[in-house]
Amino acid sequence: MADTKVRTPVAEKTSSVQVDHSRDPIVVVDDLHVVYRVYGAGGKGNAASAFMRILRREHRPSMKEFHSIKGLSFVVYRGEALGIIGGNGSGKSTLLKAIAGLLPPDRGAVFTDGQPSLLGVNAALMKDLTGERNIILGCLAMGMSPQETKQKYQEVVDFAGLKEGFIQYPMRTYSSGMGARLRFAIAAAKTHDVLLIDEALATGDAQFKVKSQKRIEELRKDAGAVFLVAHQLDVVKETCDRVIWIDDGKMIMDGDAEEVVDAYIESTKK
C-alpha cells in the first residue's frame, strides 16, 4: 500500500536517505515510486468491434500500468539549484509533478519544507483572457494580496518583454514564446519555497534566457531551492550547481553539474 504524502517540514520526518544535518534540507525524496494507471485503456472503439467482442466473449483491458519513477532517493538543501536531465520518457516531468504534490507516490514519499510551485510551458493560463487578466489571476492564485499584485504588475509585464499593446490582447493571440515568457514572469514575481521549472526556458530568446537565469539566481538567494528540467544542457550547466541524471525512472548519476552533464553527453554518443 502506498504511503500518504505529507507536506510537513523534512526535519520532522524519518527517512532512509542520508541527510547532512549540518545543512538545511528542504526536499527529501525517499524511495519514490510513481505508477500511472490508465483506466479503460484501448480507446472507445466502435459498435462493430464491440459487438464482435461480445460474440467472442472477449473483455477489453480495463487498466494498464506504467511504472514511471522507480525508487528515486535524494536530498536537496536550501539554496541549491538542481538540474534534472535524461532522455524523453525518462521520468523528469513526472518527478517534478510528484514533488509538487500533483502525483501521489505508489510507494515511498516526498517531504518538503514549504510549498512547492510548479512552472512549466503548459502552465495554466486562460487563453480567452488578456495577458493583463492572466497576470492578476496568476499572482492572486500564488497567494499574493491584491496590493502586492498591483505593485508587481508592471514588473511582470516588463520582465515578459511583451510588445506594446499585447498585454491587452487575449492569450490565444500570443506565440508560444510569448506565452512561455509570461508564465515565467508571473511565477518569478513571487519568492517561492521550492520553485520547479519544467522546460520553461526552452522557447525564450537568448536575451530572455539571460534574464531568466539571473532571476533564478535571485530566487535561490531569497527562497528555498530551484529545480530545473531542460533539454538545453548549456542552460542546465549555467543555471545549476548540481544535476541528477535519470533514465527509465532510475537514478544514473548525481553530482556536480558539469561532470554529470558531460557524462550524459558522452553516453548519448555511444
Side-chain angles (χ1 to χ4, degrees), residues 190-263:
K190 181 179 182 290
T191 298
H192 301 268
D193 297 320
V194 179
L195 180 59
L196 309 162
I197 305 173
D198 188 2
E199 293 289 359
L201 308 182
T203 53
D205 56 25
Q207 183 178 7
F208 185 73
K209 288 174 186 175
V210 171
K211 289 169 60 177
S212 301
Q213 291 163 25
K214 182 178 179 181
R215 180 59 181 140
I216 289 173
E217 283 297 320
E218 294 171 353
L219 289 168
R220 286 177 61 187
K221 295 173 183 176
D222 298 336
V226 176
F227 289 70
L228 174 63
V229 166
H231 286 293
Q232 296 171 303
L233 300 178
D234 57 331
V235 173
V236 174
K237 275 188 177 183
E238 293 167 5
T239 306
C240 303
D241 44 22
R242 175 184 167 197
V243 169
I244 65 172
W245 165 18
I246 63 176
D247 182 59
D248 192 28
K250 300 175 183 177
M251 180 78 73
I252 304 299
M253 193 173 180
D254 178 355
D256 173 75
E258 188 162 350
E259 181 181 347
V260 176
V261 169
D262 288 347

Side-chain angles (χ1 to χ4, degrees), residues 131-170:
E132 176 184 19
R133 297 304 300 169
N134 272 290
I135 291 172
I136 294 171
L137 290 174
C139 289
L140 293 174
M142 291 191 299
M144 298 170 64
S145 69
Q147 183 62 29
E148 289 173 324
T149 299
K150 184 176 180 180
Q151 292 172 349
K152 287 286 186 178
Y153 172 79
Q154 192 57 48
E155 180 181 321
V156 172
V157 175
D158 294 342
F159 192 97
L162 297 178
K163 294 180 181 179
E164 185 70 27
F166 260 98
I167 199 64
Q168 300 300 333
Y169 290 9

Side-chain angles (χ1 to χ4, degrees), residues 2-262:
D3 289 345
T4 302
K5 184 182 299 181
V6 181
R7 297 283 159 197
T8 53
V10 294
E12 297 178 5
K13 291 292 176 181
T14 301
S15 171
S16 62
V17 296
Q18 294 296 316
V19 178
D20 181 355
H21 293 288
S22 66
R23 305 166 69 188
D24 186 9
I26 191 167
V27 176
V28 174
V29 177
D30 185 13
D31 190 29
L32 177 66
H33 293 257
V34 176
V35 177
Y36 285 103
R37 291 177 174 82
V38 182
Y39 293 89
K44 293 183 178 179
N46 53 46
S49 62
F51 181 65
M52 291 305 296
R53 282 199 304 273
I54 293 172
L55 292 179
R56 296 170 184 165
R57 299 182 181 277
E58 294 176 350
H59 297 283
R60 181 187 300 168
S62 59
M63 183 187 74
K64 289 186 178 180
E65 291 188 348
F66 175 66
H67 200 160
S68 180
I69 300 296
K70 303 172 182 176
L72 287 181
S73 296
F74 58 90
V75 181
V76 176
Y77 297 91
R78 191 171 297 276
E80 281 194 310
L82 178 74
I84 304 172
I85 63 174
N88 291 331
S90 59
K92 303 185 299 296
S93 296
T94 298
L95 175 58
L96 287 195
K97 290 176 183 177
I99 294 171
L102 301 178
L103 288 175
D106 191 70
R107 299 201 308 275
V110 177
F111 306 119
T112 64
D113 185 1
Q115 178 61 46
S117 300
L118 177 62
L119 166 66
V121 292
N122 294 318
L125 292 181
M126 303 187 72
K127 64 180 181 179
D128 290 326
L129 297 184
T130 64
E132 176 184 19
R133 297 304 300 169
N134 272 290
I135 291 172
I136 294 171
L137 290 174
C139 289
L140 293 174
M142 291 191 299
M144 298 170 64
S145 69
Q147 183 62 29
E148 289 173 324
T149 299
K150 184 176 180 180
Q151 292 172 349
K152 287 286 186 178
Y153 172 79
Q154 192 57 48
E155 180 181 321
V156 172
V157 175
D158 294 342
F159 192 97
L162 297 178
K163 294 180 181 179
E164 185 70 27
F166 260 98
I167 199 64
Q168 300 300 333
Y169 290 9
M171 282 289 300
R172 54 183 158 76
T173 66
Y174 288 24
S175 68
S176 60
M178 292 167 63
R181 295 201 305 271
L182 184 57
R183 290 181 185 95
F184 185 90
I186 292 171
K190 181 179 182 290
T191 298
H192 301 268
D193 297 320
V194 179
L195 180 59
L196 309 162
I197 305 173
D198 188 2
E199 293 289 359
L201 308 182
T203 53
D205 56 25
Q207 183 178 7
F208 185 73
K209 288 174 186 175
V210 171
K211 289 169 60 177
S212 301
Q213 291 163 25
K214 182 178 179 181
R215 180 59 181 140
I216 289 173
E217 283 297 320
E218 294 171 353
L219 289 168
R220 286 177 61 187
K221 295 173 183 176
D222 298 336
V226 176
F227 289 70
L228 174 63
V229 166
H231 286 293
Q232 296 171 303
L233 300 178
D234 57 331
V235 173
V236 174
K237 275 188 177 183
E238 293 167 5
T239 306
C240 303
D241 44 22
R242 175 184 167 197
V243 169
I244 65 172
W245 165 18
I246 63 176
D247 182 59
D248 192 28
K250 300 175 183 177
M251 180 78 73
I252 304 299
M253 193 173 180
D254 178 355
D256 173 75
E258 188 162 350
E259 181 181 347
V260 176
V261 169
D262 288 347

